[in-house]
Amino acid sequence: MAKTIGIDLGTTNSCVSVIEGGRPVIIPNDKGARTTPSIVAFTKDGDRIVGEAAQRQAVVNSQRTISSVKRSMGTNWNVNIDNTKYTAPEISAMILRKLRQDAENYLGETITDAVITVPAYFNDAQRQATKDAGRIAGLNVKRIINEPTSAALAYGLDHGEPQKIMVFDLGGGTFDVSIIEIGDGVIEVLATSGDNHLGGDDFDERIAEYLCGYIEFKHGIDVRKDLSAMQRIKEASEQAKKDLSAAETANISLPYLMQGKTDMVHFETVLTRAKFDELTRDLVERTAGPVMTALNDAGLAPSELQKVLLVGGSTRMPSVQEKVFALTGIEPSKDINPDECVAQGAAIQADTLSGTGTGLLLLDVIPLSLCIETAGGVATKVVERNTTLPVRYSQVFTTASMFQKSVRIHVVQGERPMAKDNKTIGRFNMKGIKKPAKGIPQIEVTFDVDTNGILKISAKDLTTGKEQSITVTDTDKMSDAEVEQAIRNAELYAAHDRMRQEAMELPSIGKLAANEAETAMKKVEDQLTKEEIQLIKKYVLELRVLCKQAKPDKMTAEEVGIFKEHIDRAMNASANARKLAKEIAEEEATTEETKSLDE
Ligand code: AMP
């Protein structure tokens, strides 16, 4: 069976993992690196490059290099390169395609299935954009899961005690804090907070600024004006920062950096961790606010947390780890590489989804509303779109006509108001209804969707207690493509659907209007001319014929318009008749009053 890969599609770096021998392993890229920069570049020769190669040329080709595209997912952002517009999912797809290629090279097989992670705060549009990116890259995205949840899976916390944990994720450009609750068979994100513009890049920049200032002071030259020298300073700064996570000092050596006033400048210095901490103290301090906000939003004190997981390469900095301890009083777990654990969790979930793994199957949401068809072909929503699984909803329905001894339960999925425009996912007949007078029987329909997305529909006659049910499995439901098509159709056909809904209501409104006109006319018949009476009778008759012959599910917009005109005519006639009746009544009252005065 083809493997399903887990992908951490990060803002700065991405990572791919797969289960081998029951454990998640990280798939190295073609350069042997375990993470790949999420950077895409378009060269002047028309080539597209992704990853380290794109990162290396970024400074000298900044107009045609795209980084941090993840920030634009779910927005209208696009970039114009050589007169071709690329959207955020299209750029992300280029990164995904490279990751997929690396995985195929490593595994020696074609890969089509993947689980992709997204920040917990990503909304529907951002998640959908991520799915779209996967599809553009030729991947079947089996599930989108939250990054902090994925980290918890990597730590195997789904097999342990129920607990509340904090995931502290400081990456290259973003900072996310999530409080999650791991319960019996459920992982729930309780709160999220963060800073979209705080990450390892800011720490690199502080070192780079410091070095530029130092070079200026020592050699009297402004290195900021030389793009390739600046690129080397940036790379050296990041390397020094990483070195300082393991050592107290870092050597920075930049021979032949740039031409000085007289000679070539060969720059060399030693950066201490103490100096680095001093340069970046305020950045570390900025993590405190979001941590407090997330805890507050979850209604938890730090002491109620059982664990803190570190995610993101920047949590390797000792000053950051110390800050986490100071804020929570908990020694953070760092057994798994912080830049790899999200991808590992995705691989674990991928394995569970493909039926091989034994982990917890994560919660999903209902992508489209679940409805049942009620009188007139209307799709009545029982479970709204985007409700989190598992879910159980009941609604009581009754019969539509006299002597109805059975009810047809037709279950559809979709957002369109008429059942026939949605997808049928199940139907059954409930027979043997007692007391079949119209509107008397009470049929309780229950939708039960478990964490695996398996839907059980049951109908119970509340009078007799008789129950019947069917089970709809995931495969009976809609594919992603069908879901997307259904959502597009719902938007596309919104006007048409409004017209159809209106058409469905016309016969009953028409009947009411005809009865009303007839009754109103009878009250003032003596005051009307023969012609007036005949005209109203004609309106009423024509309207009744229309009501009888109407086929609301087939009516055109024009026919709906004609029907409405007939209803308006009858309503105007009854309004006029009522007005006349009122005038007569007022006249009579005045006459009576006058009479009593006389007495
Ligand atoms: P991520 O987006 O999680 O891959 O994190 C990338 C960020 O982590 C970059 O800013 C890296 O410079 C930073 N990073 C990676 N390794 C280390 C390390 N050993 N010490 C400090 N920062 C690191």
Side-chain angles (χ1 to χ4, degrees), residues 478-537:
M478 301 172 84
S479 67
D480 284 353
E482 285 177 306
V483 167
E484 277 150 34
Q485 189 59 44
I487 295 170
R488 269 199 295 274
N489 282 350
E491 286 158 11
L492 203 62
Y493 295 120
H496 174 267
D497 284 341
R498 271 195 299 278
M499 185 274 281
R500 181 67 56 230
Q501 217 165 5
E502 196 172 36
M504 298 306 296
E505 290 162 358
L506 287 178
S508 48
I509 298 174
K511 270 183 215 160
L512 281 176
N515 293 348
E516 181 68 26
E518 199 170 50
T519 316
M521 180 195 71
K522 279 191 179 142
K523 279 190 187 152
V524 290
E525 218 167 350
D526 302 344
Q527 313 295 320
L528 300 176
T529 63
K530 228 191 210 161
E531 288 74 29
E532 283 170 332
I533 294 172
Q534 253 165 11
L535 191 65
I536 298 176
K537 279 188 174 166

Short mmCIF file of all heavy atoms in Angstrom, two decimals, residues 478-537:
data_model
loop_
_atom_site.label_atom_id
_atom_site.label_comp_id
_atom_site.label_asym_id
_atom_site.label_seq_id
_atom_site.Cartn_x
_atom_site.Cartn_y
_atom_site.Cartn_z
N MET A 478 -19.52 12.67 0.68
CA MET A 478 -18.98 13.37 -0.47
C MET A 478 -17.46 13.42 -0.47
O MET A 478 -16.84 13.57 0.58
CB MET A 478 -19.54 14.79 -0.48
CG MET A 478 -21.03 14.79 -0.55
SD MET A 478 -21.70 16.42 -0.34
CE MET A 478 -21.56 17.05 -1.99
N SER A 479 -16.88 13.35 -1.67
CA SER A 479 -15.44 13.51 -1.77
C SER A 479 -15.15 15.00 -1.61
O SER A 479 -16.06 15.83 -1.71
CB SER A 479 -14.96 13.04 -3.14
OG SER A 479 -15.47 13.92 -4.12
N ASP A 480 -13.86 15.33 -1.41
CA ASP A 480 -13.51 16.74 -1.26
C ASP A 480 -13.94 17.54 -2.49
O ASP A 480 -14.41 18.66 -2.38
CB ASP A 480 -12.00 16.89 -1.07
CG ASP A 480 -11.61 16.51 0.33
OD1 ASP A 480 -12.53 16.28 1.15
OD2 ASP A 480 -10.40 16.43 0.61
N ALA A 481 -13.73 16.92 -3.67
CA ALA A 481 -14.06 17.64 -4.90
C ALA A 481 -15.56 17.93 -4.93
O ALA A 481 -15.99 19.02 -5.30
CB ALA A 481 -13.66 16.80 -6.09
N GLU A 482 -16.34 16.94 -4.50
CA GLU A 482 -17.80 17.13 -4.49
C GLU A 482 -18.18 18.22 -3.50
O GLU A 482 -19.06 19.03 -3.75
CB GLU A 482 -18.50 15.83 -4.12
CG GLU A 482 -18.52 14.82 -5.25
CD GLU A 482 -19.16 13.52 -4.81
OE1 GLU A 482 -18.73 12.95 -3.79
OE2 GLU A 482 -20.09 13.09 -5.48
N VAL A 483 -17.46 18.22 -2.36
CA VAL A 483 -17.74 19.24 -1.33
C VAL A 483 -17.47 20.62 -1.91
O VAL A 483 -18.30 21.53 -1.82
CB VAL A 483 -16.85 19.01 -0.08
CG1 VAL A 483 -16.90 20.22 0.84
CG2 VAL A 483 -17.30 17.77 0.66
N GLU A 484 -16.30 20.75 -2.56
CA GLU A 484 -15.96 22.06 -3.11
C GLU A 484 -16.95 22.48 -4.20
O GLU A 484 -17.38 23.62 -4.26
CB GLU A 484 -14.54 22.03 -3.68
CG GLU A 484 -13.54 22.26 -2.57
CD GLU A 484 -12.23 21.56 -2.83
OE1 GLU A 484 -11.84 21.46 -4.00
OE2 GLU A 484 -11.64 21.09 -1.84
N GLN A 485 -17.30 21.51 -5.04
CA GLN A 485 -18.24 21.80 -6.12
C GLN A 485 -19.58 22.24 -5.51
O GLN A 485 -20.19 23.19 -5.97
CB GLN A 485 -18.43 20.56 -7.01
CG GLN A 485 -19.22 20.83 -8.27
CD GLN A 485 -18.57 21.89 -9.15
OE1 GLN A 485 -17.37 21.89 -9.36
NE2 GLN A 485 -19.36 22.85 -9.63
N ALA A 486 -19.96 21.54 -4.44
CA ALA A 486 -21.24 21.85 -3.80
C ALA A 486 -21.22 23.26 -3.23
O ALA A 486 -22.20 24.01 -3.35
CB ALA A 486 -21.52 20.84 -2.69
N ILE A 487 -20.09 23.65 -2.62
CA ILE A 487 -20.01 25.00 -2.05
C ILE A 487 -20.05 26.04 -3.19
O ILE A 487 -20.74 27.04 -3.12
CB ILE A 487 -18.74 25.16 -1.19
CG1 ILE A 487 -18.85 24.23 0.03
CG2 ILE A 487 -18.54 26.60 -0.74
CD1 ILE A 487 -17.60 24.09 0.84
N ARG A 488 -19.31 25.73 -4.28
CA ARG A 488 -19.31 26.66 -5.42
C ARG A 488 -20.72 26.79 -5.99
O ARG A 488 -21.19 27.87 -6.28
CB ARG A 488 -18.35 26.16 -6.50
CG ARG A 488 -16.94 26.71 -6.33
CD ARG A 488 -16.16 26.59 -7.62
NE ARG A 488 -15.97 25.21 -7.99
CZ ARG A 488 -14.98 24.46 -7.55
NH1 ARG A 488 -14.11 24.96 -6.70
NH2 ARG A 488 -14.85 23.21 -7.92
N ASN A 489 -21.40 25.63 -6.12
CA ASN A 489 -22.76 25.64 -6.67
C ASN A 489 -23.69 26.45 -5.80
O ASN A 489 -24.53 27.19 -6.30
CB ASN A 489 -23.30 24.22 -6.77
CG ASN A 489 -22.73 23.50 -7.97
OD1 ASN A 489 -22.08 24.13 -8.80
ND2 ASN A 489 -22.93 22.21 -8.04
N ALA A 490 -23.53 26.29 -4.48
CA ALA A 490 -24.42 27.00 -3.56
C ALA A 490 -24.31 28.50 -3.79
O ALA A 490 -25.30 29.22 -3.78
CB ALA A 490 -24.09 26.65 -2.12
N GLU A 491 -23.06 28.96 -4.06
CA GLU A 491 -22.87 30.40 -4.30
C GLU A 491 -23.43 30.77 -5.68
O GLU A 491 -24.15 31.75 -5.84
CB GLU A 491 -21.39 30.75 -4.25
CG GLU A 491 -20.88 30.76 -2.82
CD GLU A 491 -19.38 30.58 -2.74
OE1 GLU A 491 -18.71 30.66 -3.78
OE2 GLU A 491 -18.89 30.35 -1.61
N LEU A 492 -23.08 29.91 -6.65
CA LEU A 492 -23.47 30.17 -8.03
C LEU A 492 -24.99 30.22 -8.19
O LEU A 492 -25.54 31.04 -8.90
CB LEU A 492 -22.90 29.02 -8.88
CG LEU A 492 -22.68 29.27 -10.35
CD1 LEU A 492 -21.64 30.36 -10.54
CD2 LEU A 492 -22.20 27.98 -11.01
N TYR A 493 -25.66 29.29 -7.51
CA TYR A 493 -27.09 29.15 -7.69
C TYR A 493 -27.90 29.87 -6.63
O TYR A 493 -29.10 29.63 -6.51
CB TYR A 493 -27.48 27.67 -7.70
CG TYR A 493 -26.91 26.92 -8.88
CD1 TYR A 493 -26.06 25.84 -8.69
CD2 TYR A 493 -27.22 27.30 -10.18
CE1 TYR A 493 -25.54 25.15 -9.77
CE2 TYR A 493 -26.70 26.62 -11.26
CZ TYR A 493 -25.85 25.54 -11.05
OH TYR A 493 -25.33 24.87 -12.12
N ALA A 494 -27.24 30.73 -5.85
CA ALA A 494 -27.95 31.36 -4.73
C ALA A 494 -29.23 32.05 -5.21
O ALA A 494 -30.29 31.87 -4.62
CB ALA A 494 -27.03 32.35 -4.03
N ALA A 495 -29.15 32.81 -6.33
CA ALA A 495 -30.31 33.56 -6.81
C ALA A 495 -31.39 32.59 -7.29
O ALA A 495 -32.57 32.73 -6.96
CB ALA A 495 -29.89 34.48 -7.95
N HIS A 496 -30.95 31.58 -8.02
CA HIS A 496 -31.88 30.59 -8.54
C HIS A 496 -32.58 29.87 -7.38
O HIS A 496 -33.78 29.62 -7.41
CB HIS A 496 -31.10 29.58 -9.39
CG HIS A 496 -31.93 28.44 -9.86
ND1 HIS A 496 -32.01 27.26 -9.17
CD2 HIS A 496 -32.75 28.30 -10.94
CE1 HIS A 496 -32.83 26.44 -9.80
NE2 HIS A 496 -33.29 27.05 -10.89
N ASP A 497 -31.80 29.57 -6.33
CA ASP A 497 -32.37 28.87 -5.18
C ASP A 497 -33.40 29.71 -4.46
O ASP A 497 -34.42 29.20 -3.98
CB ASP A 497 -31.26 28.46 -4.20
CG ASP A 497 -30.49 27.27 -4.73
OD1 ASP A 497 -31.03 26.57 -5.62
OD2 ASP A 497 -29.37 27.03 -4.26
N ARG A 498 -33.12 31.02 -4.38
CA ARG A 498 -34.09 31.91 -3.71
C ARG A 498 -35.41 31.88 -4.48
O ARG A 498 -36.48 31.81 -3.91
CB ARG A 498 -33.53 33.34 -3.65
CG ARG A 498 -32.70 33.59 -2.38
CD ARG A 498 -32.50 35.08 -2.16
NE ARG A 498 -31.78 35.71 -3.26
CZ ARG A 498 -30.46 35.69 -3.39
NH1 ARG A 498 -29.72 35.10 -2.50
NH2 ARG A 498 -29.87 36.27 -4.41
N MET A 499 -35.27 31.89 -5.84
CA MET A 499 -36.47 31.87 -6.68
C MET A 499 -37.22 30.55 -6.46
O MET A 499 -38.44 30.52 -6.32
CB MET A 499 -36.02 32.00 -8.15
CG MET A 499 -37.10 32.12 -9.18
SD MET A 499 -37.72 30.54 -9.75
CE MET A 499 -36.45 30.06 -10.90
N ARG A 500 -36.48 29.42 -6.38
CA ARG A 500 -37.11 28.11 -6.22
C ARG A 500 -37.83 28.04 -4.88
O ARG A 500 -38.94 27.54 -4.77
CB ARG A 500 -36.04 27.01 -6.34
CG ARG A 500 -36.52 25.61 -6.20
CD ARG A 500 -37.41 25.14 -7.34
NE ARG A 500 -36.83 25.25 -8.65
CZ ARG A 500 -37.44 25.82 -9.70
NH1 ARG A 500 -38.65 26.31 -9.58
NH2 ARG A 500 -36.84 25.91 -10.85
N GLN A 501 -37.19 28.59 -3.86
CA GLN A 501 -37.80 28.56 -2.53
C GLN A 501 -39.11 29.37 -2.53
O GLN A 501 -40.10 28.97 -1.97
CB GLN A 501 -36.83 29.18 -1.52
CG GLN A 501 -36.87 28.48 -0.20
CD GLN A 501 -35.67 28.85 0.66
OE1 GLN A 501 -34.87 29.69 0.28
NE2 GLN A 501 -35.55 28.22 1.80
N GLU A 502 -39.04 30.50 -3.24
CA GLU A 502 -40.21 31.36 -3.35
C GLU A 502 -41.32 30.59 -4.08
O GLU A 502 -42.47 30.58 -3.65
CB GLU A 502 -39.83 32.60 -4.16
CG GLU A 502 -40.80 33.73 -4.03
CD GLU A 502 -40.25 35.00 -4.69
OE1 GLU A 502 -39.57 34.89 -5.73
OE2 GLU A 502 -40.50 36.07 -4.18
N ALA A 503 -40.91 29.88 -5.16
CA ALA A 503 -41.89 29.11 -5.94
C ALA A 503 -42.56 28.06 -5.07
O ALA A 503 -43.77 27.82 -5.18
CB ALA A 503 -41.19 28.46 -7.13
N MET A 504 -41.78 27.43 -4.18
CA MET A 504 -42.33 26.38 -3.32
C MET A 504 -43.43 26.94 -2.41
O MET A 504 -44.36 26.23 -2.04
CB MET A 504 -41.25 25.76 -2.43
CG MET A 504 -40.11 25.06 -3.14
SD MET A 504 -40.62 23.79 -4.31
CE MET A 504 -41.40 22.62 -3.23
N GLU A 505 -43.25 28.21 -2.05
CA GLU A 505 -44.22 28.79 -1.11
C GLU A 505 -45.45 29.37 -1.81
O GLU A 505 -46.47 29.62 -1.16
CB GLU A 505 -43.54 29.91 -0.30
CG GLU A 505 -42.51 29.36 0.68
CD GLU A 505 -41.53 30.41 1.16
OE1 GLU A 505 -41.61 31.57 0.70
OE2 GLU A 505 -40.67 30.06 1.98
N LEU A 506 -45.35 29.58 -3.13
CA LEU A 506 -46.44 30.26 -3.84
C LEU A 506 -47.81 29.57 -3.75
O LEU A 506 -48.82 30.25 -3.47
CB LEU A 506 -46.06 30.49 -5.32
CG LEU A 506 -45.02 31.59 -5.54
CD1 LEU A 506 -44.67 31.70 -7.03
CD2 LEU A 506 -45.52 32.94 -5.03
N PRO A 507 -47.92 28.22 -3.96
CA PRO A 507 -49.26 27.62 -3.92
C PRO A 507 -49.97 27.85 -2.59
O PRO A 507 -51.17 28.17 -2.59
CB PRO A 507 -48.98 26.14 -4.16
CG PRO A 507 -47.69 26.12 -4.89
CD PRO A 507 -46.90 27.26 -4.36
N SER A 508 -49.26 27.72 -1.47
CA SER A 508 -49.98 27.91 -0.20
C SER A 508 -50.33 29.37 0.03
O SER A 508 -51.43 29.69 0.51
CB SER A 508 -49.19 27.32 0.98
OG SER A 508 -47.89 27.76 0.92
N ILE A 509 -49.44 30.28 -0.37
CA ILE A 509 -49.77 31.71 -0.24
C ILE A 509 -50.95 32.03 -1.16
O ILE A 509 -51.88 32.75 -0.80
CB ILE A 509 -48.55 32.61 -0.59
CG1 ILE A 509 -47.41 32.34 0.39
CG2 ILE A 509 -48.93 34.09 -0.58
CD1 ILE A 509 -46.12 33.05 0.06
N GLY A 510 -50.92 31.45 -2.39
CA GLY A 510 -51.98 31.67 -3.37
C GLY A 510 -53.34 31.24 -2.83
O GLY A 510 -54.33 31.97 -2.95
N LYS A 511 -53.36 30.05 -2.19
CA LYS A 511 -54.63 29.54 -1.64
C LYS A 511 -55.17 30.50 -0.59
O LYS A 511 -56.35 30.84 -0.58
CB LYS A 511 -54.40 28.16 -1.00
CG LYS A 511 -54.59 27.04 -1.99
CD LYS A 511 -54.41 25.70 -1.30
CE LYS A 511 -53.76 24.72 -2.23
NZ LYS A 511 -53.15 23.60 -1.59
N LEU A 512 -54.27 30.93 0.29
CA LEU A 512 -54.68 31.87 1.34
C LEU A 512 -55.24 33.15 0.75
O LEU A 512 -56.29 33.65 1.16
CB LEU A 512 -53.47 32.23 2.23
CG LEU A 512 -53.06 31.22 3.30
CD1 LEU A 512 -51.81 31.70 4.00
CD2 LEU A 512 -54.20 31.06 4.32
N ALA A 513 -54.51 33.67 -0.27
CA ALA A 513 -54.93 34.95 -0.89
C ALA A 513 -56.30 34.80 -1.55
O ALA A 513 -57.16 35.69 -1.45
CB ALA A 513 -53.88 35.39 -1.90
N ALA A 514 -56.55 33.63 -2.22
CA ALA A 514 -57.83 33.40 -2.90
C ALA A 514 -58.96 33.34 -1.86
O ALA A 514 -60.00 33.99 -2.03
CB ALA A 514 -57.75 32.11 -3.71
N ASN A 515 -58.74 32.57 -0.78
CA ASN A 515 -59.76 32.46 0.28
C ASN A 515 -60.08 33.82 0.89
O ASN A 515 -61.22 34.19 1.11
CB ASN A 515 -59.29 31.51 1.40
CG ASN A 515 -59.19 30.09 0.89
OD1 ASN A 515 -59.68 29.78 -0.20
ND2 ASN A 515 -58.53 29.24 1.65
N GLU A 516 -59.01 34.53 1.14
CA GLU A 516 -59.12 35.84 1.77
C GLU A 516 -59.96 36.79 0.89
O GLU A 516 -60.87 37.48 1.37
CB GLU A 516 -57.69 36.37 1.95
CG GLU A 516 -57.54 37.71 2.60
CD GLU A 516 -57.96 37.70 4.05
OE1 GLU A 516 -57.89 36.63 4.68
OE2 GLU A 516 -58.37 38.77 4.53
N ALA A 517 -59.63 36.81 -0.41
CA ALA A 517 -60.35 37.70 -1.34
C ALA A 517 -61.83 37.34 -1.39
O ALA A 517 -62.71 38.20 -1.38
CB ALA A 517 -59.72 37.61 -2.73
N GLU A 518 -62.09 36.02 -1.40
CA GLU A 518 -63.48 35.55 -1.48
C GLU A 518 -64.26 35.99 -0.23
O GLU A 518 -65.36 36.53 -0.32
CB GLU A 518 -63.48 34.03 -1.59
CG GLU A 518 -64.76 33.46 -2.12
CD GLU A 518 -64.58 31.97 -2.43
OE1 GLU A 518 -64.08 31.25 -1.53
OE2 GLU A 518 -64.91 31.56 -3.54
N THR A 519 -63.66 35.75 0.94
CA THR A 519 -64.33 36.12 2.20
C THR A 519 -64.58 37.62 2.27
O THR A 519 -65.69 38.07 2.63
CB THR A 519 -63.45 35.69 3.40
OG1 THR A 519 -62.97 34.39 3.15
CG2 THR A 519 -64.19 35.73 4.71
N ALA A 520 -63.52 38.39 1.93
CA ALA A 520 -63.65 39.86 2.01
C ALA A 520 -64.74 40.35 1.07
O ALA A 520 -65.53 41.24 1.42
CB ALA A 520 -62.30 40.50 1.68
N MET A 521 -64.79 39.72 -0.12
CA MET A 521 -65.78 40.15 -1.11
C MET A 521 -67.21 39.89 -0.58
O MET A 521 -68.09 40.74 -0.71
CB MET A 521 -65.55 39.40 -2.42
CG MET A 521 -66.53 39.77 -3.50
SD MET A 521 -66.50 38.58 -4.83
CE MET A 521 -67.27 37.16 -4.08
N LYS A 522 -67.40 38.69 0.03
CA LYS A 522 -68.74 38.31 0.51
C LYS A 522 -69.26 39.32 1.52
O LYS A 522 -70.46 39.60 1.57
CB LYS A 522 -68.71 36.91 1.09
CG LYS A 522 -68.78 35.87 -0.01
CD LYS A 522 -69.02 34.48 0.50
CE LYS A 522 -69.10 33.54 -0.69
NZ LYS A 522 -68.47 32.26 -0.42
N LYS A 523 -68.37 39.87 2.33
CA LYS A 523 -68.77 40.81 3.37
C LYS A 523 -69.35 42.10 2.81
O LYS A 523 -70.14 42.78 3.46
CB LYS A 523 -67.58 41.14 4.28
CG LYS A 523 -67.33 40.07 5.31
CD LYS A 523 -66.31 40.55 6.31
CE LYS A 523 -65.93 39.42 7.23
NZ LYS A 523 -64.59 39.56 7.75
N VAL A 524 -68.87 42.48 1.60
CA VAL A 524 -69.33 43.77 1.04
C VAL A 524 -70.06 43.60 -0.28
O VAL A 524 -70.17 44.54 -1.07
CB VAL A 524 -68.12 44.73 0.85
CG1 VAL A 524 -67.57 45.19 2.19
CG2 VAL A 524 -67.02 44.05 0.04
N GLU A 525 -70.54 42.37 -0.51
CA GLU A 525 -71.14 42.03 -1.80
C GLU A 525 -72.24 43.03 -2.20
O GLU A 525 -72.32 43.46 -3.35
CB GLU A 525 -71.72 40.61 -1.73
CG GLU A 525 -71.51 39.86 -3.01
CD GLU A 525 -71.78 38.37 -2.87
OE1 GLU A 525 -71.95 37.91 -1.72
OE2 GLU A 525 -71.83 37.69 -3.89
N ASP A 526 -73.08 43.44 -1.18
CA ASP A 526 -74.20 44.33 -1.48
C ASP A 526 -73.74 45.68 -2.03
O ASP A 526 -74.47 46.35 -2.77
CB ASP A 526 -75.00 44.63 -0.21
CG ASP A 526 -75.51 43.35 0.41
OD1 ASP A 526 -75.50 42.33 -0.32
OD2 ASP A 526 -75.91 43.37 1.59
N GLN A 527 -72.57 46.07 -1.63
CA GLN A 527 -72.08 47.39 -2.03
C GLN A 527 -71.35 47.39 -3.38
O GLN A 527 -70.92 48.45 -3.84
CB GLN A 527 -71.10 47.95 -0.97
CG GLN A 527 -71.59 47.84 0.45
CD GLN A 527 -72.81 48.69 0.66
OE1 GLN A 527 -72.90 49.81 0.16
NE2 GLN A 527 -73.80 48.17 1.37
N LEU A 528 -71.13 46.22 -3.91
CA LEU A 528 -70.34 46.14 -5.15
C LEU A 528 -71.24 46.02 -6.36
O LEU A 528 -72.35 45.48 -6.28
CB LEU A 528 -69.40 44.93 -5.09
CG LEU A 528 -68.38 44.92 -3.95
CD1 LEU A 528 -67.59 43.60 -3.96
CD2 LEU A 528 -67.39 46.08 -4.08
N THR A 529 -70.70 46.48 -7.48
CA THR A 529 -71.45 46.32 -8.72
C THR A 529 -71.29 44.87 -9.19
O THR A 529 -70.37 44.17 -8.75
CB THR A 529 -70.92 47.25 -9.82
OG1 THR A 529 -69.58 46.86 -10.10
CG2 THR A 529 -70.95 48.70 -9.40
N LYS A 530 -72.14 44.46 -10.11
CA LYS A 530 -72.07 43.11 -10.67
C LYS A 530 -70.69 42.88 -11.31
O LYS A 530 -70.07 41.83 -11.14
CB LYS A 530 -73.16 42.99 -11.74
CG LYS A 530 -73.98 41.74 -11.60
CD LYS A 530 -74.79 41.62 -12.83
CE LYS A 530 -76.11 40.92 -12.57
NZ LYS A 530 -77.07 41.20 -13.64
N GLU A 531 -70.21 43.94 -12.01
CA GLU A 531 -68.93 43.81 -12.72
C GLU A 531 -67.79 43.61 -11.72
O GLU A 531 -66.90 42.79 -11.93
CB GLU A 531 -68.63 45.08 -13.56
CG GLU A 531 -69.49 45.25 -14.79
CD GLU A 531 -70.92 45.69 -14.43
OE1 GLU A 531 -71.10 46.37 -13.39
OE2 GLU A 531 -71.86 45.32 -15.16
N GLU A 532 -67.89 44.40 -10.60
CA GLU A 532 -66.81 44.28 -9.60
C GLU A 532 -66.80 42.87 -9.01
O GLU A 532 -65.74 42.26 -8.84
CB GLU A 532 -67.02 45.32 -8.49
CG GLU A 532 -66.60 46.72 -8.90
CD GLU A 532 -67.01 47.79 -7.91
OE1 GLU A 532 -68.03 47.62 -7.19
OE2 GLU A 532 -66.30 48.81 -7.84
N ILE A 533 -67.99 42.34 -8.71
CA ILE A 533 -68.07 41.00 -8.14
C ILE A 533 -67.51 39.97 -9.12
O ILE A 533 -66.71 39.10 -8.76
CB ILE A 533 -69.53 40.64 -7.77
CG1 ILE A 533 -69.99 41.55 -6.63
CG2 ILE A 533 -69.67 39.17 -7.38
CD1 ILE A 533 -71.45 41.45 -6.28
N GLN A 534 -67.87 40.13 -10.36
CA GLN A 534 -67.41 39.16 -11.35
C GLN A 534 -65.89 39.21 -11.50
O GLN A 534 -65.23 38.18 -11.65
CB GLN A 534 -68.09 39.45 -12.68
CG GLN A 534 -69.13 38.38 -12.94
CD GLN A 534 -70.09 38.75 -14.03
OE1 GLN A 534 -69.89 39.72 -14.75
NE2 GLN A 534 -71.15 38.00 -14.13
N LEU A 535 -65.34 40.42 -11.44
CA LEU A 535 -63.90 40.57 -11.59
C LEU A 535 -63.16 39.86 -10.45
O LEU A 535 -62.21 39.10 -10.67
CB LEU A 535 -63.53 42.07 -11.61
CG LEU A 535 -62.10 42.36 -12.02
CD1 LEU A 535 -61.84 41.95 -13.46
CD2 LEU A 535 -61.78 43.85 -11.84
N ILE A 536 -63.66 40.08 -9.22
CA ILE A 536 -63.00 39.42 -8.08
C ILE A 536 -63.13 37.90 -8.19
O ILE A 536 -62.17 37.16 -7.98
CB ILE A 536 -63.57 39.93 -6.72
CG1 ILE A 536 -63.31 41.43 -6.60
CG2 ILE A 536 -62.94 39.19 -5.56
CD1 ILE A 536 -63.89 42.09 -5.37
N LYS A 537 -64.33 37.45 -8.59
CA LYS A 537 -64.53 36.00 -8.74
C LYS A 537 -63.57 35.43 -9.77
O LYS A 537 -63.02 34.35 -9.61
CB LYS A 537 -65.98 35.72 -9.15
CG LYS A 537 -66.93 35.73 -7.97
CD LYS A 537 -68.29 35.26 -8.39
CE LYS A 537 -69.20 35.15 -7.18
NZ LYS A 537 -70.60 35.01 -7.55
#
